[in-house]
């Protein structure tokens, strides 16, 4: 069954950083011509970001992490980084909401990919405010959950690339153009 890990603050920070990394990778692959079978719209970015923020409670989890796990002498810097992180997520939504086209254009893809990268960097920095022991513990939780999720998705069907987190061989899902060329 599922590992018995509550969604604790440091783990949430890592998981949201993973989502940001995936969004960045997807947008850069789309920029390079990847075909995921459906158009990507600005509204999807706005909605997806709102859902991520709500479901992860990243703001509350960063506050909890700062209050309970960040050493006192690093809390002020951690608070500043948390504010920057939340502002970046809001900038993703406001940037996407301001796009006037039905689908994302190439320039929009790069701008949004850069914002997701910046979120990932900020969240990584946030994580590094934890003690090395806490970082190891949360990294272990994240790795255990990833393994559990991979097992759950074994043999799944549907969607682009089978709708799976990884291919049955364990290799990472690749993005391809309509012509079948691999996108880096």
């Amino acid at each position: 069954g599922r590992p018995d890990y509550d969604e604790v603050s440091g783990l949430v920070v890592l998981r949201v950083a993973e989502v940001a990394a995936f969004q960045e990778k997807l947008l850069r692959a789309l920029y390079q011509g990847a075909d995921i079978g459906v158009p990507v719209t600005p509204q999807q970015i706005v909605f997806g970001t709102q859902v991520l923020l709500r479901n992860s409670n990243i703001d509350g989890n960063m506050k909890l992490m700062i209050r309970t796990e960040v050493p006192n002498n690093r809390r002020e810097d951690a608070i500043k980084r948390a504010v920057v992180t939340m502002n970046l997520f809001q900038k993703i939504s406001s940037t996407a909401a301001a796009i006037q086209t039905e689908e994302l254009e190439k320039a929009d893809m790069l701008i949004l990919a850069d914002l997701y990268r910046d979120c990932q960097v900020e969240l990584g920095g946030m994580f590094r405010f934890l003690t090395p022991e806490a970082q190891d513990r949360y990294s272990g939780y994240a790795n255990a959950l990833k393994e559990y999720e991979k097992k759950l998705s074994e043999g799944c069907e549907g969607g682009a690339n089978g709708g799976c987190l990884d291919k049955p061989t364990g290799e990472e899902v690749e993005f391809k153009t309509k012509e079948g060329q691999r996108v880096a």
Side-chain angles (χ1 to χ4, degrees):
R2 180 185 181 276
D4 188 22
Y5 302 124
D6 292 327
E7 289 289 318
V8 286
S9 57
L11 179 58
V12 172
V13 168
L14 280 179
R15 303 284 288 190
V16 172
E18 288 173 2
V19 171
F22 177 81
Q23 290 293 94
E24 177 196 1
K25 179 180 178 180
L26 175 63
L27 288 162
R28 292 193 193 287
L30 290 169
Y31 175 82
Q32 294 176 4
D35 178 26
I36 61 170
V38 294
V40 179
T41 68
Q43 295 80 14
Q44 289 170 320
I45 300 293
V46 172
F47 180 73
T49 302
Q50 291 170 349
V51 169
L52 174 65
L53 293 175
R54 185 175 52 250
N55 288 351
S56 69
N57 186 24
I58 188 65
D59 186 40
N61 275 295
M62 286 190 296
K63 287 176 183 174
L64 177 64
M65 189 176 101
I66 291 166
R67 188 173 62 249
T68 61
E69 297 196 71
V70 172
N72 286 338
N73 64 341
R74 305 200 69 199
R75 285 188 182 159
E76 189 175 321
D77 289 335
I79 290 167
K80 289 177 186 172
R81 186 160 285 230
V83 169
V84 169
T85 301
M86 291 309 298
N87 286 341
L88 280 166
F89 277 115
Q90 293 307 321
K91 188 169 182 178
I92 290 170
S93 285
S94 63
T95 299
I99 295 170
Q100 299 295 312
T101 56
E102 289 283 320
E103 294 181 28
L104 292 180
E105 294 182 352
K106 284 191 173 264
D108 301 323
M109 292 172 191
L110 284 184
I111 290 166
L112 291 167
D114 286 347
L115 289 170
Y116 277 111
R117 179 204 56 224
D118 293 347
C119 282
Q120 182 185 2
V121 167
E122 291 301 320
L123 288 164
M126 192 76 200
F127 188 73
R128 285 187 293 281
F129 284 118
L130 295 172
T131 64
E133 297 78 25
Q135 289 180 39
D136 288 346
R137 184 175 72 247
Y138 287 128
S139 294
Y141 291 170
N143 290 337
L145 281 171
K146 278 188 252 182
E147 285 305 311
Y148 169 75
E149 290 164 347
K150 282 180 185 178
K151 285 181 182 160
L152 256 182
S153 69
E154 283 177 4
C156 64
E157 296 178 15
N161 294 312
C164 302
L165 297 171
D166 291 296
K167 293 181 179 180
T169 60
E171 64 186 288
E172 192 174 311
V173 171
E174 295 178 347
F175 294 105
K176 296 183 179 181
T177 64
K178 286 182 181 181
E179 295 78 33
Q181 294 176 327
R182 184 179 177 277
V183 175

